[in-house]
Amino acid sequence: MTWHVAEDELRAYARGELAPPLLWSADTHLTGCAVCRARLAEVWDPGALDAAWERLDAELDAPRPGPFERLLVRCGVADHTARLLAATPVLRRSWLTAVALLLVLSVLTAHGVHSDTFFLAVAPLLPLAGVALSYGPALDPTYEMTVVAPVHGFRLLMIRTVAVLAAVLGLSGLATLALPGYGLGALGWLLPALALTAAGLALTPRLGPVVAPSAVGGGWVVLLLAARVHQGGGAGALVPFTAAGQAVAAAVAALAAALLFAARDRFDQSHQTRQTHQSFRSAA
Amino acid sequence: MTTVSAAVTVSASGLTLRYGATRALDDVSLRLGRGVTGLLGPNGAGKTTLLRVLATSVPAASGAFTVLGHDPASAHGRQEVRRALGYLPQTPGFHPDFTPFEFVDYVAILKELTDRAARHREVRRVLDEVGLAEVRGKRIKKLSGGMRQRVALAAALVGDPGFLVLDEPTVGLDPEQRMRFRELIAQAGEGRTVLLSTHQTEDVAMLCHRVLVMAGGRVRFDGTPAELAARAAGRVWRSTARDPGAKAGWRTGTGGYRNVGDPPEGADLLEPTLEDGYLLTLDGDRGDRGDRGDRGDHGDRAEATA
């Protein structure tokens, strides 16, 4: 044997911290080198062995996570974040199926009437609803435990918001490919979607998790009806889907995001005050 | 009964919270030490509101409190309180598709236990502690009500919190499950501060070294269970028919009547119980407020005769 494993690498190997390719090299070498095996025995920490067995035991004893969590971990999401996302109510198969069906219906309507308007009107409402339903006492059964946890409420909200946006915007993006018309116009739903979602979240600390998204969604419908009336039923894109409308949507999204960030600490306590008030009055 | 320490771990003064015109908390002050403290009171007394405030779920409109030396008035202090907190809400919710292991693991992540191996060890420890090791891989929706309640307790215990807030944990459990749950709470009270809200005076008698009685958003009594029972000393008597002069009276299993209030001359006095003291404390409160609320656990059989 013309070489031996270096002292620091041997210690790292013993601690289980040696990374490939040095690990592979050390493994192969140790198989054939009695000197290095003896040196390894000297630097080996019995406590580390116990800890390693304990880790292995804990891993083997933990129930296998569900398919959604396994998929997230395979995609590189940390296991603890994957579990937080698995507990997000709207990331369930039933919700995603409902979103997909609604998008299919919108696409079929677009083909039927030879206009993207219905699709462009509906698509921004989906992430607004999805994000609104991903937190708050209405749908999250563990809301009361979550709100008193040391993990900051805003951080949890953002984790869930990003996941819901990724899922819903992804589905909407796929549906866009099936629209009759191509080009940038078919993506006219994207900026309004971000604007509505951000506005719904920004208003939540003031109006609550039900009224805020409902008001924003209602406002969007009213805006579209007003644009339709203003257009007088003529052909062409409605104002929100023109370049000027898209610029306004981008500005609203940016402003709402800034307001949301400024109000982040307001997500750290319960939105249940109104409910508590009602239950208190009925019980008293 | 759990071990009791005189050191104050949770201290509150002047906590007030209004919901519209209703005072849910009205100048509540208290000091808790280690061991299990019971919180008794009828519906609408403000118990759950007090627990939510102490658990930092909702802020009080005025007043202050500290938990294990941390003041939740600041964001940092609030986070420290939450790190020291285990909370079992009145109606604990679960993700039904989760197993007990996954659910407690989820709560452990919310409690900032991100190291996978250490977290899994802790989850196994608390599931063992509440006796759910055998069903840790079963879906929660397939578990009995008592087992689900134990899952919620395990979630509250994960991370070994110093302050445990339990909101009516024995509601809806059958007698056997209730006894099992009481054992767990007594065990959890060793070395911890536990505030246990309940309608069951038996819970307090069996578990608590101290009891608070709330009504109308105020603390009406603060003392030991023996002191609460002693409030009814000389004010409980037996009669063959319902005594119209009694504050409350009910027929017992032996056919006679047990009366609580101001006994007539020569009445056959009985040894007072915790429940008698509780009823008289509430009756004083009803006299103050001029209304007649729920009588807690015994509202179905106690008859107001005053």
Side-chain angles (χ1 to χ4, degrees):
Chain A
M1 200 60 68
T2 56
W3 67 281
H4 294 288
V5 181
E7 182 75 17
D8 55 338
E9 287 171 11
L10 205 57
R11 287 185 185 281
Y13 183 90
R15 290 194 302 269
E17 294 170 1
L18 197 63
L22 288 176
L23 173 65
W24 304 329
S25 174
D27 264 338
T28 311
H29 179 81
L30 283 163
T31 309
C33 178
V35 176
C36 283
R37 282 203 301 274
R39 287 171 58 223
L40 179 64
E42 284 169 20
V43 300
W44 191 267
D45 175 7
L49 182 63
D50 290 344
W53 274 116
E54 206 174 326
R55 277 200 300 273
L56 183 63
D57 187 38
E59 285 304 308
L60 292 175
D61 198 46
R64 193 164 179 248
F68 178 62
E69 272 187 72
R70 291 203 303 273
L71 175 69
L72 289 171
V73 171
R74 269 200 211 111
C75 292
V77 176
D79 79 294
H80 50 88
T81 306
R83 179 132 300 164
L84 290 180
L85 291 175
T88 304
V90 297
L91 288 177
R92 304 261 157 200
R93 195 180 302 162
S94 53
W95 161 259
L96 295 175
T97 306
V99 168
L101 286 175
L102 196 55
L103 287 169
V104 167
L105 182 69
S106 307
V107 170
L108 290 176
T109 306
H111 281 279
V113 300
H114 304 291
S115 166
D116 295 346
T117 305
F118 182 68
F119 178 85
L120 296 176
V122 168
L125 293 171
L126 298 177
L128 171 72
V131 169
L133 294 174
S134 70
Y135 73 99
L139 269 195
D140 185 355
T142 62
Y143 179 76
E144 215 174 337
M145 289 185 192
T146 306
V147 83
V148 300
V151 166
H152 199 288
F154 186 72
R155 182 169 168 253
L156 191 60
L157 173 72
M158 285 299 101
I159 288 173
R160 289 179 170 182
T161 297
V162 169
V164 172
L165 281 179
V168 178
L169 297 185
L171 287 172
S172 299
L174 285 175
T176 303
L177 298 176
L179 286 176
Y182 290 103
L184 280 178
L187 283 172
W189 55 271
L190 183 57
L191 285 171
L194 295 175
L196 296 190
T197 306
L201 286 173
L203 289 174
T204 293
R206 192 162 290 274
L207 300 179
V210 175
V211 175
S214 304
V216 170
W220 171 247
V221 172
V222 169
L223 177 70
L224 291 177
L225 291 175
R228 187 83 179 162
V229 169
H230 182 258
Q231 199 184 35
L238 293 180
V239 172
F241 308 119
T242 60
Q246 294 288 296
V248 171
V252 169
L255 178 66
L259 290 174
L260 174 63
F261 185 73
R264 62 192 180 281
D265 284 344
R266 301 276 296 275
F267 288 89
D268 208 25
Q269 287 192 310
S270 178
H271 293 296
Q272 273 187 312
T273 311
R274 282 168 195 271
Q275 281 192 344
T276 307
H277 178 199
Q278 284 160 2
S279 62
F280 185 89
R281 284 171 65 113
S282 60
Chain B
M1 191 101 39
T2 53
T3 309
V4 180
S5 161
V8 174
T9 51
V10 178
S11 169
S13 64
L15 293 177
T16 301
L17 184 59
R18 281 174 173 275
Y19 292 128
T22 310
R23 276 179 188 251
L25 292 181
D26 186 4
D27 194 23
V28 170
S29 298
L30 53 86
R31 288 154 74 84
L32 306 179
R34 290 199 168 78
V36 184
T37 298
L39 183 60
L40 282 172
N43 290 332
K47 302 190 302 293
T48 293
T49 304
L50 176 62
L51 298 192
R52 282 183 173 157
V53 168
L54 293 177
T56 73
S57 175
V58 291
S62 62
F65 71 99
T66 60
V67 173
L68 299 166
H70 303 295
D71 183 352
S74 67
H76 174 72
R78 192 160 55 243
Q79 196 177 25
E80 290 301 321
V81 170
R82 290 173 176 179
R83 284 183 177 135
L85 176 76
Y87 181 39
L88 194 161
Q90 195 171 25
T91 46
F94 304 99
H95 295 290
D97 290 333
F98 271 4
T99 64
F101 188 99
E102 286 169 336
F103 180 72
V104 178
D105 191 49
Y106 165 69
V107 175
I109 292 165
L110 292 175
K111 289 186 176 183
E112 299 177 320
L113 300 176
T114 50
D115 180 79
R116 184 183 163 91
R119 192 177 73 239
H120 285 184
R121 262 201 312 278
E122 175 65 3
V123 172
R124 285 195 305 168
R125 183 188 71 78
V126 290
L127 287 175
D128 282 349
E129 196 171 323
V130 301
L132 290 178
E134 298 302 314
V135 295
R136 65 177 179 272
K138 205 171 172 181
R139 299 278 160 221
I140 291 176
K141 62 186 170 194
K142 293 185 177 168
L143 299 181
S144 68
M147 281 187 173
R148 287 184 195 192
Q149 202 69 344
R150 279 193 269 161
V151 173
L153 181 64
L157 288 171
V158 78
D160 197 16
F163 179 37
L164 202 55
V165 174
L166 308 176
D167 196 354
E168 299 187 13
T170 55
V171 165
L173 301 184
D174 65 39
E176 191 185 341
Q177 288 173 332
R178 208 179 299 150
M179 282 310 296
R180 171 80 179 115
F181 215 81
R182 282 178 186 143
E183 283 173 24
L184 294 172
I185 294 170
Q187 198 179 323
E190 296 288 345
R192 285 194 182 92
T193 301
V194 180
L195 184 56
L196 167 71
S197 168
T198 180
H199 279 300
Q200 313 269 346
T201 49
E202 294 95 329
D203 286 345
V204 173
M206 290 184 190
L207 287 169
C208 304
H209 71 279
R210 192 170 150 215
V211 57
L212 308 173
V213 177
M214 281 190 78
R218 306 195 70 156
V219 174
R220 302 289 168 171
F221 175 85
D222 180 356
T224 65
E227 287 166 346
L228 181 57
R231 278 195 154 194
R235 302 186 68 190
V236 186
W237 70 98
R238 180 170 31 212
S239 60
T240 51
R242 193 171 67 193
D243 193 326
K247 304 273 188 195
W250 60 92
R251 189 190 289 272
T252 66
T254 56
Y257 276 81
R258 185 182 179 94
N259 304 286
V260 179
D262 297 319
E265 194 109 350
D268 181 9
L269 293 177
L270 296 171
E271 192 68 26
T273 63
L274 187 66
E275 184 183 314
D276 299 324
Y278 171 61
L279 284 174
L280 281 172
T281 302
L282 289 189
D283 191 79
D285 176 64
R286 276 192 287 275
D288 293 346
R289 292 191 299 151
D291 67 348
R292 300 206 169 262
D294 161 67
R295 286 178 184 276
D297 186 34
H298 302 281
D300 56 340
R301 55 191 170 94
E303 300 167 29
T305 55

